[in-house]
Amino acid sequence: AIALGDLPLLFVDDSGIATRESVVRTLHAAKAHPSPVIQADRKWEGDRVYIYGAVQRDEQSGELRMWYNTAPVREGGPDRAGKVPGLRRNGADLVLYTTSKDGLQWTKPSLGQYAYDGDKNNNIVFDVHSPSVIVDAREADASKLYKMLGAEKPGNYVAAYSGDGLKWTNYPKNPVLQYSDTITFTQHPLTGAYMAYHKRPATVRGFPRRVVWLSTSLDMQTWSEPELVFGADEIDDQWVTNKVERTEVYNMSVFPHASGFLGLPTIFRVIRQLDRSQVAAGQSPLDGPIDVELATSTDGRSWQRTSRRTIVIPRGAPGTFDGGAILGVASNPVHTKDETWVYYTALTTGHGAPIGPKKISIGRADWRRNGFASLDAGPDGGRVETRPLRFASPTLAVNADASRGRVRVALLEENGSAIAGYTFDDSTPLTANATQFTAAWR
């Protein structure tokens, strides 16, 4: 049976469905805000900020907490965390911390932990690239409630822990994984295992490409042998016309739901490759747009793509803050009563433009609450029967737009037979648009 607890049963695929009749699945693109929610406006942020990181809600205050990145590049060369006393990884990006009450206006507090240019009046908390953070509800040691994976740059992937999300300590065994760059991680909702989706080298159809590997752990110290779980397929390369062009997967954030996992891979279409001698500071030799698509999995290892390769966070018009590329998304979504938010890294240009014309900031994409996909019926109605469910509470909340019809709910025995008093005819129908309708029967 599928356990229904804190996680919803999503209809992004058929993993939670036993049968369905006369319904069609629709993927829904987010609505992005027209301007960035966070921009580089502090001297230690240089000229760019990233959200390879995470956004978590404080359960007591309701405040949002974000761990994000900066990689300041100034005239004369890199100026990074190696010049901040107390941070040991020379060349690593800075991990910064910010909070918000509404998810749009963010406060960068003065934490006084590390001195930048001799001044501790900043929001620096650590020094890794791509800082993915989880709050581990299963952790018995309060000093390790917060866990982080990130990358030395150049170097390897490293792990850290914290009791408050501000003061971070390196795990005794580091690094924990080889290679480095982008990494996100999540926790398996049933086993509690940590699942690290990270970049490692791989050759796909003759090209060295960015792909996504998975490694798992039960203690953040000993990790399984990485396995390649997501890369560009033949359909991704159908647009290619020469020997330089190709499709790569820049990274992928993975969100658990009741019957599986939802992934937001960033699809990088390489249209140009510069010689290293032509590359300026802060620039990549590979250029092209990057878009966010959607993938699904029942186990976090075997992934299915949408048939139309739908873009679910649309880029803005040319010249806008997110008109060139979306480099990555936060490693977890944020839910409100009626909406789901995903924060993303926005580029004004393609991936390979030099800093100057290229500006990097953080945007926010909004969905209806858990509204990544829906099952839609026609005028004659439709029917969906789930796999057996195990409830953690005595109520069932339904997310549906029934403003042009009605939704009725019946409870069945495991063998599919009706339960007296809980049939469709006994159901109190939903006839409105509601994200958390409580199913009820006469």
Side-chain angles (χ1 to χ4, degrees):
I2 298 170
L4 277 187
D6 295 334
L7 296 175
L9 178 63
L10 300 184
F11 290 152
V12 290
D13 58 14
D14 286 345
S15 59
I17 297 173
T19 62
R20 57 186 178 100
E21 303 169 8
S22 302
V23 293
V24 61
R25 179 174 288 108
T26 303
L27 295 183
H28 299 284
K31 180 180 179 182
H33 286 260
S35 57
V37 297
I38 299 179
Q39 300 183 72
D41 57 8
R42 304 291 194 271
K43 65 179 181 178
W44 54 91
E45 292 177 334
D47 41 29
R48 46 182 165 169
V49 288
Y50 300 80
I51 182 63
Y52 288 133
V55 183
Q56 301 284 357
R57 187 181 295 278
D58 185 279
E59 292 187 0
Q60 294 183 341
S61 68
E63 190 174 59
L64 295 181
R65 314 179 75 195
M66 179 190 292
W67 295 264
Y68 67 107
N69 250 159
T70 185
V73 176
R74 296 179 176 178
E75 184 178 353
D79 183 6
R80 296 186 174 183
K83 292 189 175 181
V84 179
L87 296 180
R88 68 172 178 84
R89 282 185 279 273
N90 187 31
D93 295 354
L94 296 175
V95 180
L96 307 179
Y97 174 80
T98 181
T99 62
S100 176
K101 297 184 182 299
D102 62 3
L104 291 175
Q105 304 298 320
W106 291 83
T107 299
K108 300 174 182 178
S110 176
L111 300 175
Q113 294 190 172
Y114 300 102
Y116 185 88
D117 285 347
D119 186 0
K120 288 189 175 182
N121 182 26
N122 60 62
N123 60 335
I124 301 171
V125 296
F126 210 51
D127 63 334
V128 295
H129 177 67
S130 190
S132 188
V133 176
I134 66 168
V135 182
D136 187 358
R138 298 169 180 256
E139 178 58 67
D141 185 347
S143 70
K144 297 180 178 178
L145 176 64
Y146 293 84
K147 294 177 171 63
M148 179 190 292
L149 285 178
E152 299 175 300
K153 195 177 180 182
N156 296 285
Y157 295 104
V158 293
Y161 62 87
S162 173
D164 60 5
L166 299 177
K167 297 178 176 64
W168 291 90
T169 302
N170 293 291
Y171 273 92
K173 179 185 174 182
N174 264 315
V176 292
L177 291 167
Q178 292 184 324
Y179 302 101
S180 73
D181 199 2
T182 59
I183 186 168
T184 67
F185 88 121
T186 189
Q187 198 168 10
H188 195 290
L190 299 181
T191 67
Y194 309 110
M195 308 171 73
Y197 293 89
H198 59 290
K199 174 185 172 182
R200 295 167 66 95
T203 298
V204 180
R205 292 187 300 283
F207 279 110
R209 309 193 195 209
R210 292 174 174 85
V211 293
V212 178
W213 296 69
L214 170 65
S215 182
T216 63
S217 175
L218 293 175
D219 61 3
M220 295 290 290
Q221 291 286 266
T222 302
W223 291 81
S224 65
E225 185 66 24
E227 52 188 309
L228 200 164
V229 296
F230 199 95
D233 61 15
E234 291 83 353
I235 297 176
D236 288 317
D237 279 344
Q238 285 181 346
W239 65 278
V240 170
T241 61
N242 60 50
K243 294 183 179 180
V244 171
E245 295 173 342
R246 60 189 182 273
T247 301
E248 301 184 359
V249 181
Y250 206 85
N251 50 48
M252 181 168 68
S253 292
V254 173
F255 310 153
H257 63 99
S259 62
F261 299 85
L262 180 151
L264 294 181
T266 46
I267 307 301
F268 179 20
R269 291 175 175 83
V270 179
I271 60 175
R272 183 168 42 256
Q273 183 166 346
L274 299 176
D275 184 85
R276 285 286 179 183
S277 63
Q278 300 174 291
V279 178
Q283 185 180 7
S284 168
L286 302 182
D287 193 19
I290 305 176
D291 291 301
V292 183
E293 296 184 3
L294 185 146
T296 62
S297 174
T298 57
D299 60 5
R301 287 179 166 82
S302 299
W303 290 87
Q304 291 74 47
R305 306 286 295 276
T306 59
S307 59
R308 295 184 179 180
R309 306 294 162 96
T310 304
I311 295 172
V312 295
I313 303 181
R315 283 181 286 128
T320 59
F321 83 101
D322 57 359
I326 294 178
L327 199 58
V329 304
S331 55
N332 60 289
V334 173
H335 302 293
T336 69
K337 179 179 181 296
D338 294 315
E339 292 185 328
T340 290
W341 305 336
V342 173
Y343 291 87
Y344 63 91
T345 300
L347 276 64
T348 54
T349 66
H351 176 267
I355 293 293
K358 178 168 68 178
K359 295 181 179 179
I360 306 177
S361 58
I362 298 173
R364 196 185 88 183
D366 299 355
W367 280 268
R368 174 192 183 91
R369 183 182 171 98
N370 290 312
F372 302 102
S374 62
L375 293 178
D376 303 331
D380 296 328
R383 184 179 186 274
V384 178
E385 182 179 326
T386 72
R387 289 169 48 202
L389 306 177
R390 182 182 298 113
F391 290 87
S393 74
T395 60
L396 173 67
V398 179
N399 182 348
D401 181 1
S403 58
R404 293 173 293 171
R406 63 177 180 170
V407 170
R408 295 183 298 163
V409 180
L411 300 184
L412 307 177
E413 296 287 3
E414 189 172 10
N415 64 8
S417 61
I419 299 177
Y422 296 92
T423 66
F424 284 130
D425 291 337
D426 297 310
S427 172
T428 301
L430 169 65
T431 57
N433 186 354
T435 58
Q436 299 184 61
F437 169 71
T438 301
W441 296 265
R442 289 183 302 205

